[in-house]
């Protein structure tokens, strides 16, 4: 298996078969497990053997298959799956931090991530420092010997800023700080985060991993020691376990993730080419287009620009709403990474709770629309976006 290419790992890694020899992975939809004897139960609670389970909150064969498969695909030693992406974010951070610790984070984050940092961790005595994630001088200034964790989105939501993983990780490791990355926009297809210096990688499996809008899930990836000794005890006792049925959906999603994400990226590239310089747009932002300020970094780090664009309509909120309401192929929702193209107005939805001055600082303007490119025919999607812009 160590010689397998990523697409093969995404189909076969971590597979466990029951005595029936099923082809598609089995869904072990059970809360608990039966022991052969009282002595066996005692032994299992003392120390779990290979492929042994106690209770669904602690682990499950279907969930374990997903954890092993995504770890193999990502190049991580171990993984722990959670009920949602935000359970993964909060679990990864809260399990490793305590009162008096210091976190340096990029300020361009999903609204719920900002809530975890500022409202929850801040309330419990963790110092939070937010900075411009694209400014290496700011990282160098703020990552001090007192810093315990560095946290950022490798590609930010929703403005698509790209953070230099290798450069920030080098600064962090020089001060013995751990590097925790929310890697959702990069997806496992374009991720090389661990080889670039990440200590912990987080995914919302709800996005590209499922990829078809069916279920929620999350996963934390890292070293065997971190997952087993830090994350697992915290999550076992706090309880955000991934459902076995959702884990099965994620396994099925991984089988096609490479094909889906590469097809979506090709469409995103074509859409960006059609929209950059459009008269109705103040800007069109796509990391894979040469017009993006960090295009070269994106190509070095990911190799491709990914599946998301940001469009800033020159007419502000009114124009953005007219544009969204005129769509016939794209749908208005707040998810991403789906087979359907999804368009979102962050200022009034995903980042609505942020005060206006913070929105301004992050570049979340009234006219900004996030576009998550789906699997429709590229010509149909491009034509739909162009006709909707005509009505904006």
């Amino acid at each position: 298996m160590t010689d397998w290419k990523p697409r093969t790992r995404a189909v076969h890694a971590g597979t466990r078969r029951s005595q029936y020899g099923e082809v598609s992975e089995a869904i072990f939809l059970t809360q608990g497990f039966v022991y052969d004897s009282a002595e066996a139960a005692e032994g299992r609670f003392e120390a779990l053997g290979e492929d042994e389970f106690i209770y669904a909150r602690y682990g499950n064969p279907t969930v374990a298959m997903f954890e092993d498969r995504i770890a193999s695909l990502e190049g991580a030693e171990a993984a722990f799956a959670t009920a949602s992406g935000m359970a993964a974010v909060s679990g990864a951070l809260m399990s490793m931090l305590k009162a008096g610790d210091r976190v340096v984070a990029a300020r361009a984050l999903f609204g719920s991530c900002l809530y975890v940092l500022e409202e929850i961790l801040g309330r419990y005595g963790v110092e939070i420092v937010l900075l411009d994630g694209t400014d290496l001088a700011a990282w160098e200034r703020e990552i001090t010997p007192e810093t315990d964790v560095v946290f950022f989105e490798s590609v930010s939501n929703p403005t698509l800023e790209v953070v230099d993983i290798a450069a920030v990780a080098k600064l962090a490791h020089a001060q013995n700080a751990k590097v925790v990355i929310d890697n959702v926009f990069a997806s496992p297809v374009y991720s090389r985060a661990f080889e670039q210096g990440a200590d912990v990688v987080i995914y919302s499996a709800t996005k590209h991993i499922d990829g078809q809008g069916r279920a929620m899930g999350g996963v934390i990836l890292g070293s065997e020691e971190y997952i087993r000794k830090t994350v697992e005890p915290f999550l076992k006792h706090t309880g955000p376990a991934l459902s076995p049925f959702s884990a099965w959906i994620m396994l099925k999603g991984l089988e096609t993730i490479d094909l889906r994400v590469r097809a979506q990226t090709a469409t995103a590239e074509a859409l960006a080419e059609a929209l950059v310089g459009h008269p109705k747009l103040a800007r069109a932002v796509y990391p894979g287009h040469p017009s993006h300020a960090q295009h070269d970094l994106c190509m070095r780090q990911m190799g491709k620009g990914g599946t998301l664009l940001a469009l800033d309509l020159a007419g502000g909120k009114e124009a953005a709403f007219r544009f969204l309401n005129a769509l016939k192929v794209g749908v208005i929702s707040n998810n991403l990474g789906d087979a359907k193209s999804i368009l979102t107005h962050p200022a009034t939805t995903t980042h609505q709770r942020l005060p206006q001055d913070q929105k301004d600082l992050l570049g979340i303007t009234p006219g900004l629309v996030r576009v998550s490119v789906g699997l429709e025919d590229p010509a149909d999607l491009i034509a739909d976006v162009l006709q909707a812009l005509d009505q904006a």
Side-chain angles (χ1 to χ4, degrees):
M1 191 176 78
T2 56
D3 296 331
W4 287 351
K5 301 293 190 295
R7 273 173 57 175
T8 308
R9 291 171 186 260
V11 173
H12 292 290
T15 299
R16 292 163 167 80
R17 289 192 172 91
S18 75
Q19 70 270 32
Y20 300 111
E22 62 279 349
V23 173
S24 182
E25 296 81 0
I27 305 174
F28 291 90
L29 204 59
T30 180
Q31 296 169 327
F33 301 84
V34 174
Y35 312 106
D36 293 335
S37 65
E39 290 80 7
E42 179 186 36
R44 199 172 295 187
F45 270 79
E46 287 176 346
L48 279 176
E50 184 71 23
D51 250 16
E52 288 186 340
F53 301 92
I54 291 175
Y55 188 56
R57 179 158 50 84
Y58 291 13
N60 171 281
T62 313
V63 176
M65 281 191 272
F66 170 60
E67 291 168 340
D68 289 351
R69 186 169 296 179
I70 186 68
S72 176
L73 184 59
E74 192 71 17
E77 291 181 3
F80 199 98
T82 61
S84 69
M86 284 313 305
V89 171
S90 59
L93 293 172
M94 294 182 72
S95 65
M96 66 195 305
L97 291 165
K98 63 184 184 305
D101 284 350
R102 187 171 192 267
V103 176
V104 178
R107 66 190 177 208
L109 296 171
F110 177 55
S112 294
C113 292
L114 285 169
Y115 182 87
V116 169
L117 289 173
E118 297 181 304
E119 300 294 333
I120 299 177
L121 291 172
R123 184 189 312 158
Y124 292 118
V126 177
E127 180 187 0
I128 306 297
V129 177
L130 298 177
L131 49 72
D132 179 353
T134 66
D135 184 352
L136 284 178
W139 286 110
E140 186 170 15
R141 182 173 61 252
E142 295 294 349
I143 299 174
T144 64
E146 292 74 35
T147 302
D148 299 282
V149 169
V150 167
F151 176 64
F152 57 90
E153 295 171 355
S154 55
V155 181
S156 72
N157 180 8
T159 53
L160 305 174
E161 295 177 354
V162 183
V163 176
D164 190 331
I165 296 173
V168 174
K170 184 177 179 180
L171 293 170
H173 292 156
Q175 303 293 351
N176 296 314
K178 297 294 185 185
V179 178
V180 181
I181 298 177
D182 182 334
N183 211 31
V184 167
F185 278 30
S187 85
V189 175
Y190 300 128
S191 171
R192 293 183 292 123
F194 282 111
E195 68 181 72
Q196 290 162 349
D199 297 298
V200 179
V201 171
I202 300 164
Y203 285 106
S204 170
T206 313
K207 312 302 190 292
H208 299 96
I209 293 173
D210 171 13
Q212 292 164 76
R214 299 167 294 190
M216 290 198 300
V219 65
I220 307 166
L221 300 113
S223 68
E224 184 77 24
E225 181 177 15
Y226 166 71
I227 295 297
R228 299 280 86 89
K229 295 183 179 180
T230 300
V231 170
E232 185 175 306
F234 182 85
L235 293 177
K236 281 166 60 174
H237 295 297
T238 54
L242 180 64
S243 155
F245 183 72
S246 296
W248 180 81
I249 288 174
M250 302 310 171
L251 281 164
K252 297 292 99 182
L254 284 177
E255 291 180 351
T256 60
I257 189 172
D258 192 276
L259 299 173
R260 288 185 287 104
V261 169
R262 291 189 189 280
Q264 290 166 311
T265 299
T267 301
E269 291 170 350
L271 183 59
E273 194 63 40
L275 295 179
V276 169
H278 193 285
K280 292 290 182 74
L281 297 175
R283 56 183 173 137
V285 183
Y286 180 61
H289 193 275
S291 61
H292 192 282
Q294 298 150 300
H295 172 71
D296 291 344
L297 170 61
C298 178
M299 292 299 103
R300 290 198 312 272
Q301 193 158 286
M302 292 168 51
K304 286 286 186 178
T307 68
L308 288 113
L309 300 87
L311 308 179
D312 196 351
L313 278 87
K317 177 182 173 181
E318 293 76 14
F321 276 28
R322 286 196 298 271
F323 165 68
L324 289 167
N325 292 337
L327 293 166
K328 295 181 174 63
V329 174
V331 299
I332 304 169
S333 189
N334 47 281
N335 193 27
L336 60 93
D338 197 281
K340 299 174 179 66
S341 288
I342 292 175
L343 292 90
T344 307
H345 188 251
T348 56
T349 58
T350 56
H351 292 70
Q352 184 270 339
R353 62 171 284 274
L354 298 181
Q356 190 58 50
D357 60 344
Q358 198 165 352
K359 290 177 187 174
D360 294 341
L361 188 63
L362 295 173
I364 302 174
T365 65
L368 190 75
V369 174
R370 188 186 70 195
V371 183
S372 173
V373 174
L375 289 172
E376 301 93 349
D377 188 285
D380 289 337
L381 180 62
I382 293 170
D384 185 42
V385 171
L386 291 174
Q387 67 82 24
L389 281 174
D390 286 343
Q391 300 183 58

